[in-house]
Amino acid sequence: MMIPSRASCVALLAGAACCLPLLAGCGKSAPTHFYSLNTAAPKTDTVPAGPCLSVGIGPVDLPAYLDRSQIVTRLGDNQMHLADFDQWIESPHDNFQRALTDNLSRLICAKPLFTYPWPVGGHPDRQVVIQVARFDGALGQEAVLRVSWSVLDADNKTLDWRSTDYREAVQGPDYAALAAAQSRLVEKFAKDVAASLGAK
């Protein structure tokens, strides 16, 4: 067995030392950015018009392709993209339901305003059942919300049923602009839900 010389050992150690910065650089990854839908409807000091009833929001049904932390965007009619480093801060279902409820709290008089599942003893006078078929968009282009909803009374009788497509321009090339556009879609939807509640 050959014993390496002192000079060979020094050369090997020097080479390994040179590789350490490269290895350290390889271990780094891009930082993850987190987003949330915001409440676009401004607060007001005036009491919203309409009947003041207890209102329950939910169940809210989102398609399976949205049931993930990564933000989903469209690259074409048949191609989707999952953003590894741009994600929702909470589940899309909870984020959507919370943003909708926050918007509605500024648009209707509801005492109280529940989210599904109801608290123990909760039995709303009106219930809004929501089925989302699409809630995504393309960076720098357009965000789309395709949704159907029913308004039920305390006896689960359907008082109203509607289905609508909402579209909103994405005012920027990044995920922050997409999340802002999707927030505006939820605001538009909340206004229509408020109108359907006020009419019943």
Side-chain angles (χ1 to χ4, degrees):
M1 183 177 67
M2 294 183 61
I3 299 175
S5 66
R6 179 182 177 85
S8 299
C9 290
V10 171
L12 287 171
L13 290 173
C18 291
C19 290
L20 286 176
L22 296 176
L23 292 173
C26 292
K28 292 182 179 179
S29 60
T32 301
H33 301 95
F34 295 95
Y35 303 87
S36 177
L37 299 171
N38 63 30
T39 303
K43 287 187 177 181
T44 176
D45 294 330
T46 60
V47 177
C52 197
L53 305 171
S54 61
V55 176
I57 305 301
V60 177
D61 181 32
L62 265 69
Y65 80 92
L66 292 176
D67 187 20
R68 62 187 73 247
S69 60
Q70 300 101 321
I71 296 180
V72 179
T73 54
R74 288 186 181 257
L75 302 180
D77 291 338
N78 302 302
Q79 187 176 4
M80 313 293 284
H81 175 71
L82 302 180
D84 288 329
F85 302 109
D86 294 274
Q87 302 182 10
W88 297 113
I89 194 67
E90 60 182 328
S91 76
H93 172 275
D94 294 347
N95 199 185
F96 182 92
Q97 183 169 270
R98 179 182 52 77
L100 175 62
T101 303
D102 286 349
N103 275 289
L104 282 172
S105 69
R106 292 157 168 76
L107 298 169
I108 63 174
C109 182
K111 296 182 179 179
L113 183 59
F114 297 123
T115 55
Y116 187 86
W118 322 136
V120 175
H123 190 65
D125 299 311
R126 296 289 184 271
Q127 178 180 356
V128 184
V129 179
I130 299 161
Q131 186 169 32
V132 176
R134 178 181 170 186
F135 189 47
D136 55 51
L139 292 177
Q141 298 181 38
E142 184 180 57
V144 177
L145 169 61
R146 181 172 299 143
V147 60
S148 302
W149 73 99
S150 302
V151 177
L152 312 179
D153 66 12
D155 298 320
N156 289 324
K157 177 184 176 183
T158 301
L159 303 177
D160 194 14
W161 180 88
R162 304 187 189 188
S163 183
T164 308
D165 274 18
Y166 300 92
R167 297 179 181 273
E168 182 71 24
V170 179
Q171 299 174 355
D174 54 17
Y175 286 93
L178 177 62
Q182 290 180 287
S183 296
R184 294 192 295 273
L185 288 175
V186 177
E187 181 193 12
K188 289 180 178 180
F189 175 46
K191 289 179 178 178
D192 283 352
V193 172
S196 61
L197 284 166
K200 301 301 173 185

